Structure formats: C-alpha cells, structure tokens
C-alpha cells in the first residue's frame, strides 16, 4: 500500500526515477533490495503475534514482495498491488473475488486464451455465464448487459489483432449500470497506458512479459484501490496459494529498474518494423494501430502514450507463406509469449483451431497471421531479417 507521504513524493518523480528508487529505500542500506527467502517469521512474544504487526508467513506477505508491489502500484497509478505466481493466478483470483453463482460477465473478444478458458468454460460449473463481445462497437456492449451482469472484462490491446476500443465509453457504460471493470494491460504496458487513470477498477498484468522483461520469470499482478486489494489479500490471495516466491519477485523488481528504457526501445523498433512491413508487397495487412494508415490510429493517439513492441501482420500468400517466412527468420525465434529482450515470432495457425475465433470474422485470417514481439536487438538487423524472410512468402 502507498501512504499519503509516498503519494506526495511520487508526484515529483518521473517514471524511470520512481522505478530506480521508490519502494526499496532504507533496507539496511542495500542499493539492491535483499531477497527474504524465509517461509516464516518469528515474533518476540505471544502478545506481539496477536497484534498482527509485521510478517508471519510468506504465503501472506514478504518484504521482498512488498518492495515490488509498491513499485507496481505506483507504476499503474494505483493505491495497492498484489503479486501472484502467474498471470493466470492473478486473473483467477480477481474473477473469483468479484463473481458468485448466477452472475454474468461481458468480456471483450479477441481475448487472452486463459481468460477465454476460465470464463467460457471453467466458470460454467459455478453457474457463471459470459458473453464475448466486440468492444469496437459500444452498442454491442450496452446491449449485452443483463440484470445479473456484474463484471466487464477486457484487454487494452488485443493479443493477436492488436485491436483497441474506446476506454472512456466502457467506463461510462459500467458506471451507468453499477458494474465493476477489469482490464488486462499486459500488451500495452503501463509505460504507454494506465487504465486506472481512465476510471477502470482493476488492472491485471502478466508480469512475465514487459514488466519482468528478461524471459526468466513467471508472475502476475493485480492493481486496484486499497479497499479492493485488501479484500483480495484477506481472501483469494492466501486461500488460493498463488503467492509469488521471493526470488521471482526480486527478478521482476530487477526487471523494473530498466523498464522505461526498454519500453522506449521496443516502441521505436516496433514502429520502424511496422512501417517496413506496411510497404512490403507480400504483406496484406499490418495490425498495428500506431501506423497512420490504420483505421484506429486516431483512437490510439488519444489513449496511448506510444506503442509497445507487439504487432502482427497478414500475408497475401496465406498459411503456407506464413510457415515459410517463420522458418526463414534468424533473429525472431519461434515461441509463445512476448515482452522479453529477445524477438519472438508466432502464428495462431501453428496451434490449430482456436475456439474463440470459430465462425467469426477472425477465423479466415488466423492462418495468414504472423505475430511478432519486437525485442531489443538492433532495429536494422530485425528489419533485414524480416525482409529476407518475406522473400519466401
């Protein structure tokens, strides 16, 4: 939790300065915060334990985790944060916190596969229903609201097609109907979008991606008001056992030290790569709303401070051409996930049919689509790598 004095101090710091210094002050004078690997904490007396001051078990709280949680809350302009053992642990705990038997959810589509699986399948056993809606048309969102609707769940920047929607309109609809809003900000990152500032109730991240930045840790985070986070901290966080370990927390905190600098490079390189792809005759479409030619460019300029390093493109030659291009890439390694120092490439066609896209406008495009995570290599090398591979499209 961030107290009033800390909030005042934060107003005087830029993002990268905050990440370098805030939250880890005065821990035995260590310039790098220590890792508290212990599972349990001792107390001086019976009475001291009863008072509940300090720490007692790392499944509930740990000093290393708290250093990270303060930084993440400040990064998203939130009051409090909890770090989880994975992005899915963060998503699951949040959904179970707000939902009960008989509730209804409205979720944006396309959405992350784990979110789709949780809402579209797993929650059915609890009598929880969901409508997956295209958020580019706000009237579709409004029309989906039912008497038992409790949550609106969405992604700020969709994983495969990089589509965006009107953030203000979603918040306005939710407030009009007394609904809570949860947004996954993993793809966009808080370097370029802070949804709590737009009025969303809860922000979720896979901290394995841009926040950690080194492809060496699995983690998730939930950021919200002190009231919401205290409730999650008392119930779902300890009961579900999804706490992140101290070493992994330290790794994410280490990654945050360079977060602002990394995101500038990701953004700059991604824009250059996207511009090159848009000019290539083998490319049918570039899914990147930060290109001036993209139909959502004006909305992107309004809502985001800049692009992240995630984009996709579609080939005239279809799935066979996509396979040939992917196999010819040298610096873009084949793999899922994104947000690390390394460049990655993936096509949804590699994994077979995806249920959420069946019988939708997206289904015919899946095999044609190549998603790339633009890493921190020299931009010219990445561009030349893609150009050479596209000769085989």
């Amino acid at each position: 939790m961030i107290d009033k004095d800390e909030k005042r101090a934060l107003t005087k710091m830029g993002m990268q300065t905050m990440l370098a210094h805030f939250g880890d002050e005065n821990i035995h004078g260590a310039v790098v915060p220590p890792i508290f690997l212990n599972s349990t904490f001792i107390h001086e007396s019976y009475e001291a334990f009863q008072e509940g001051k300090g720490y007692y078990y790392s499944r509930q709280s740990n000093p290393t985790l708290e250093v990270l949680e303060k930084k993440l809350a400040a990064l998203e302009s939130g009051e409090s944060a909890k770090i989880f053992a994975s992005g899915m642990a963060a998503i699951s705990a949040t959904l179970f916190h707000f939902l009960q038997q008989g509730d209804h959810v409205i979720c944006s589509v396309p959405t992350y596969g784990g979110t789709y699986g949780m809402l579209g399948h797993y929650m059915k056993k609890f009598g929880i229903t969901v409508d997956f809606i295209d958020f580019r048309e706000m009237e579709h969102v409004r029309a989906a609201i039912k008497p038992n609707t409790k949550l609106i769940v969405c992604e700020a920047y969709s994983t495969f097609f990089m589509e965006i929607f009107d953030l203000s309109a979603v918040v306005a609809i939710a407030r009009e109907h007394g609904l809570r809003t949860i947004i996954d900000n993993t793809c966009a990152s808080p370097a370029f979008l802070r949804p709590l500032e737009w009025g969303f109730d809860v922000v979720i991240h896979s901290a394995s991606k841009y926040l950690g930045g080194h492809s060496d840790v699995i983690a998730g985070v939930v950021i919200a008001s002190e009231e919401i986070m205290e409730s999650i901290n008392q119930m779902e966080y300890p009961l579900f056992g999804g706490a992140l370990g101290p070493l992994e927390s330290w790794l994410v905190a280490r990654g945050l030290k360079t977060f602002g600098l990394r995101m500038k490079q990701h953004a700059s390189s991604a824009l250059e790569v996207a511009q090159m792809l848009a000019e290539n005759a083998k490319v049918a479409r570039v899914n990147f709303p930060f290109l001036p030619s993209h139909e959502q460019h004006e909305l992107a300029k309004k809502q985001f401070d800049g692009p992240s390093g995630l984009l996709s493109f579609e080939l005239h030659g279809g799935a066979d051409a996509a396979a040939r291009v992917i196999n010819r890439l040298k610096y873009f390694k084949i793999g899922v996930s994104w947000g690390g120092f390394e460049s990655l490439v993936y096509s949804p066609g590699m994994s077979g049919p995806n249920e959420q896209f069946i019988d939708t406008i997206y289904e015919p495009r899946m095999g044609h689509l190549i998603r790339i995570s633009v890493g921190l290599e020299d931009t010219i090398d990445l561009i030349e790598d893609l150009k050479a591979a596209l000769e085989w499209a």
Side-chain angles (χ1 to χ4, degrees):
M1 185 182 70
I2 300 174
D3 63 32
K4 292 181 180 179
D5 290 338
E6 289 170 327
K7 285 181 181 178
R8 283 194 289 270
L10 285 170
T11 62
K12 301 177 183 178
M13 297 184 196
M15 180 183 70
Q16 191 56 46
T17 303
M18 180 277 291
L19 291 173
H21 297 286
F22 178 71
D24 49 21
E25 307 93 337
N26 302 320
I27 303 179
H28 306 300
V31 67
V32 176
I35 308 173
F36 290 84
L37 288 172
N38 45 296
S39 60
T40 193
F41 299 82
I42 59 173
H43 296 74
E44 293 183 356
S45 67
Y46 182 100
E47 291 77 16
F49 187 94
Q50 277 191 322
E51 289 175 3
K53 295 179 179 178
Y55 308 93
Y56 74 96
Y57 197 61
S58 284
R59 180 165 56 86
Q60 181 76 43
S61 61
N62 177 286
T64 307
L65 274 67
E66 287 193 355
V67 167
L68 174 59
E69 288 165 353
K70 274 195 172 184
K71 287 183 184 293
L72 291 170
L75 188 58
E76 277 283 11
S77 301
E79 293 179 352
S80 185
K82 289 305 296 182
I83 191 76
F84 285 80
S86 68
M88 274 310 302
I91 290 168
S92 301
T94 306
L95 292 176
F96 276 105
H97 176 74
F98 286 108
L99 296 172
Q100 59 185 2
Q101 187 175 16
D103 284 346
H104 173 253
V105 180
I106 297 171
C107 182
S108 63
V109 63
T111 192
Y112 171 60
T115 303
Y116 182 86
M118 177 62 72
L119 287 172
H121 293 284
Y122 192 80
M123 287 291 194
K124 288 180 179 179
K125 67 165 65 178
F126 303 107
I128 295 168
T129 58
V130 59
D131 280 316
F132 292 99
I133 302 296
D134 186 341
F135 275 37
R136 291 174 299 173
E137 299 290 340
M138 281 299 117
E139 288 309 308
H140 294 173
V141 178
R142 188 182 298 276
I145 296 173
K146 302 177 181 180
N148 60 332
T149 303
K150 294 294 171 61
L151 279 181
I152 293 180
V153 179
C154 51
E155 287 186 8
Y157 183 66
S158 71
T159 306
F160 283 129
F161 294 95
M162 285 71 231
E163 292 170 347
I164 59 177
F165 58 87
D166 191 327
L167 298 171
S168 297
V170 169
V171 170
I173 290 171
R175 289 179 175 173
E176 179 184 344
H177 293 273
L179 308 178
R180 290 288 196 179
T181 49
I182 298 172
I183 187 167
D184 187 329
N185 195 31
T186 303
C187 294
S189 95
F192 304 119
L193 177 69
R194 290 158 298 281
L196 296 178
E197 295 177 358
W198 289 79
F200 282 84
D201 294 308
V202 180
V203 174
I204 295 175
H205 285 273
S206 167
S208 319
K209 311 298 194 289
Y210 288 121
L211 297 177
H214 291 78
S215 297
D216 56 7
V217 63
I218 300 294
V221 63
V222 180
I223 306 162
S225 67
E226 181 183 345
E227 178 184 4
I228 290 173
M229 295 315 306
E230 179 60 25
S231 184
I232 291 175
N233 190 43
Q234 292 300 317
M235 295 295 291
E236 289 78 16
Y237 188 72
L239 292 178
F240 289 5
L244 189 64
L247 177 59
E248 291 80 5
S249 297
W250 184 88
L251 286 170
V252 178
R254 179 209 59 182
L256 287 180
K257 297 291 187 182
T258 59
F259 173 74
L261 302 174
R262 288 188 287 105
M263 294 311 299
K264 287 180 182 178
Q265 185 61 48
H266 284 303
S268 173
S269 292
L271 189 55
E272 287 190 51
V273 166
Q275 289 169 338
M276 180 278 293
L277 290 170
E279 295 166 2
N280 192 291
K282 302 291 183 73
V283 176
R285 176 179 171 83
V286 180
N287 299 309
F288 195 61
F290 304 96
L291 282 175
S293 58
H294 194 279
E295 64 271 17
Q296 290 191 303
H297 181 63
E298 289 304 315
L299 182 60
K301 286 199 305 180
K302 174 185 174 183
Q303 296 185 164
F304 297 86
D305 294 335
S308 69
L310 195 66
L311 62 118
S312 67
F313 58 99
E314 300 166 49
L315 299 173
H316 289 295
D320 289 342
R324 291 193 298 270
V325 168
I326 288 171
N327 286 333
R328 289 283 172 172
L329 288 167
K330 179 171 62 173
Y331 296 124
F332 288 87
K333 305 299 184 182
I334 300 172
V336 298
S337 196
W338 65 87
F341 64 90
E342 78 288 8
S343 291
L344 293 173
V345 60
Y346 174 75
S347 172
M350 296 162 59
S351 300
N354 188 314
E355 183 182 343
Q356 70 170 301
F357 298 115
I358 294 175
D359 295 328
T360 70
I361 60 172
Y362 301 103
E363 186 176 19
R365 300 165 60 188
M366 298 300 284
H368 302 218
L369 185 139
I370 296 176
R371 185 185 73 187
I372 56 175
S373 173
V374 179
L376 301 179
E377 300 93 340
D378 290 300
T379 311
I380 186 61
D381 291 331
L382 297 179
I383 288 176
E384 291 303 317
D385 191 24
L386 283 163
K387 281 183 176 179
L390 284 166
E391 292 296 321
W392 295 84

